[in-house]
Amino acid sequence: MSNPHAAAVREVFLTGHRTGRAVAPSHFLAVRESPRPALQPGQVRVRNDFLQLTAVMADLMSEKPGLPMPAYPVGEPLWGGAVGTVVESAGRLAPGTVVQHMNGWREESSGDASLFYPVPVEVLPAPEYVLNQGVTAYHGMAEVAAAGEGDVVFVSGAAGGVGSLAGQIAKARGARKVIGSAGSPEKVKYLVEELGFDAGINYREGLVRERLAELAPGGINVFFDTVGGSQFEAAVQAAAQHARFALCGALAGQIDGGTGGFPRLDIMTAIVKQLRILPFATLHTSEQLAAWGAHYGRWLAEGKLVFPHTIIDGGLDAAPAALDALLEGRYRGNVVVRLH
Ligand SMILES: NC(=O)c1ccc[n+]([C@@H]2O[C@H](COP(=O)([O-])OP(=O)(O)OC[C@H]3O[C@@H](n4cnc5c(N)ncnc54)[C@H](OP(=O)(O)O)[C@@H]3O)[C@@H](O)[C@H]2O)c1
């Protein structure tokens, strides 16, 4: 718990590079206290209320993650999305302002006020609703795949942070049918009953290719892939002519290792169907942020979308083990740790 009079701030830091996927991320994380910095002109101090956890954080713990974002330095606290409240200000944000920022994994963050973005609390049911992966989901589904009216869409990893929003975005844009894959019957039920997917596939049970043939006999027009591996290969076989594949991630390789990130491409089928295979990286440009921002609050208010999320209690100390549990598939949707 953050104490306004304390001389120290609690934070989670990286104790060493993660060398392989066999060892859980929490093995390389520890909580410590660091001196609380004095506030400089222009700076604010923020009590962090919620921290966002995402699968990519585990990749960023390795020395060379090969991603379009900086790896976590050893000996430093991790960075990541957080929501907090300004508690002290020598800058342009008044105490009490609810803000979003990227200096998570600590109970309190200080810095120039320009690093902290006011949360539009008036259009959201709760501040933690901003800790979602909608920017990526929207970019991939709306702009890369251009999913819309009449499309038959398949989302892999559909109960995860990105996938759970990607499927709902396709529905909100008028897709005819949205199919999602997930790793348990409970998650498949969640997709259909709570997120409005038309059908779900438990990829651990039977062949995804056969289930897709049953559920989409005319083929899929859009594939939003967060998994790679055999699900990508199945989607090529299930694709309709000119289908668009938005490649977002390769969870099967990122989490389990192996060849998940190196699916085999049936080139002749891809040529005959003239597939458009479109890998993308969402860099959170101001345009990408604005595009999602223009839809999220409105779709929530109109009931076209829910914020799929799991809240973890237990404060900062619970965060390392929660990252392990995220990779093990124990949560649904976007994962948020309540810090206070
Ligand atoms: N391109 C971009 O700009 C961009 C931006 C952000 C994120 N990403 C990527 O998007 C993907 C999703 O990220 P996220 O944070 O939303 O992660 P996430 O889906 O929440 O990741 C956790 C889920 O991965 C699934 N999983 C674990 N092992 C699996 C396996 N072997 N095969 C299939 N699924 C497995 C589990 O679900 P089940 O229980 O259903 O198996 C688990 O719940 C990641 O690959 C991430 O790197 C890309």
Side-chain angles (χ1 to χ4, degrees), residues 22-97:
V23 190
S26 64
H27 185 78
F28 304 92
L29 298 174
V31 180
R32 71 179 177 200
E33 291 193 346
S34 277
R36 169 185 273 167
L39 222 54
Q40 303 299 321
Q43 293 189 335
V44 294
R45 197 184 309 284
V46 171
R47 180 197 69 220
N48 291 331
D49 300 319
F50 295 96
L51 161 69
Q52 181 179 23
L53 300 183
T54 63
V56 79
M57 288 172 168
D59 295 314
L60 295 175
M61 290 167 60
S62 67
E63 192 173 4
K64 290 183 182 160
L67 290 164
M69 56 186 84
Y72 293 135
V74 171
E76 295 288 325
L78 277 55
W79 53 268
V83 159
T85 309
V86 176
V87 289
E88 196 182 338
S89 180
R92 60 174 174 78
L93 296 170
T97 309

Side-chain angles (χ1 to χ4, degrees), residues 32 51 61 73 93 105 121 132 185 194 216 240 268 281 312 321:
R32 71 179 177 200
L51 161 69
M61 290 167 60
L93 296 170
W105 288 94
V121 283
N132 66 75
E194 295 184 45
M268 283 316 296
I312 311 298

Side-chain angles (χ1 to χ4, degrees), residues 54-55 133 136 160-162 182-183 187 203-204 226-227 248-252 254-256 280-282 326-327 329:
T54 63
Q133 302 213 58
T136 301
V162 177
K187 285 189 179 179
Y203 68 86
R204 296 185 201 275
T226 69
V227 168
C248 178
L251 286 166
Q254 287 166 266
I255 295 179
D256 293 347
F280 69 94
T282 304
L326 182 154
L327 300 185

Side-chain angles (χ1 to χ4, degrees), residues 32 58-59 80 97-98 111 140 142 158 173 189 201 226 231 234 285 296 303:
R32 71 179 177 200
D59 295 314
T97 309
V98 177
R173 287 173 54 86
K189 197 163 173 249
I201 297 173
T226 69
Q231 295 201 48
T285 62
Y296 181 45

Side-chain angles (χ1 to χ4, degrees), residues 163-188:
S164 58
L165 283 165
Q168 294 188 82
I169 290 166
K171 267 315 250 194
R173 287 173 54 86
R176 180 156 60 88
K177 188 169 197 179
V178 178
I179 302 162
S181 69
S184 70
E186 294 75 27
K187 285 189 179 179
V188 166

Side-chain angles (χ1 to χ4, degrees), residues 99-303:
V99 292
Q100 179 180 14
H101 63 91
M102 289 305 290
N103 287 315
W105 288 94
R106 57 207 97 182
E107 289 181 341
E108 192 179 281
S109 303
S110 310
D112 195 88
S114 63
L115 300 172
F116 299 87
Y117 302 92
V119 171
V121 283
E122 62 290 349
V123 297
L124 296 176
E128 64 271 23
Y129 273 55
V130 293
L131 296 178
N132 66 75
Q133 302 213 58
V135 179
T136 301
Y138 187 86
H139 177 219
M141 191 58 90
E143 290 160 10
V144 178
E149 293 289 331
D151 279 326
V152 176
V153 177
F154 173 43
V155 179
S156 65
V162 177
S164 58
L165 283 165
Q168 294 188 82
I169 290 166
K171 267 315 250 194
R173 287 173 54 86
R176 180 156 60 88
K177 188 169 197 179
V178 178
I179 302 162
S181 69
S184 70
E186 294 75 27
K187 285 189 179 179
V188 166
K189 197 163 173 249
Y190 168 70
L191 295 179
V192 175
E193 293 184 1
E194 295 184 45
L195 303 188
F197 283 58
D198 297 286
I201 297 173
N202 177 358
Y203 68 86
R204 296 185 201 275
E205 223 176 60
L207 289 175
V208 172
R209 176 182 171 170
E210 287 177 3
R211 291 289 289 133
L212 283 173
E214 286 163 23
L215 292 167
I220 56 170
N221 309 106
V222 168
F223 177 39
F224 187 105
D225 192 14
T226 69
V227 168
S230 59
Q231 295 201 48
F232 172 89
E233 292 167 14
V236 170
Q237 301 309 319
Q241 203 69 16
H242 302 291
R244 291 95 70 196
F245 281 31
L247 305 189
C248 178
L251 286 166
Q254 287 166 266
I255 295 179
D256 293 347
T259 57
F262 302 87
R264 289 165 302 172
L265 176 60
D266 175 349
I267 292 176
M268 283 316 296
T269 299
I271 290 170
V272 170
K273 293 182 176 178
Q274 299 188 60
L275 300 184
R276 294 182 57 209
I277 298 180
L278 307 162
F280 69 94
T282 304
L283 302 178
H284 287 67
T285 62
S286 50
E287 292 80 10
Q288 289 167 352
L289 291 166
W292 173 234
H295 293 88
Y296 181 45
R298 181 165 55 81
W299 279 344
L300 282 173
E302 291 172 358

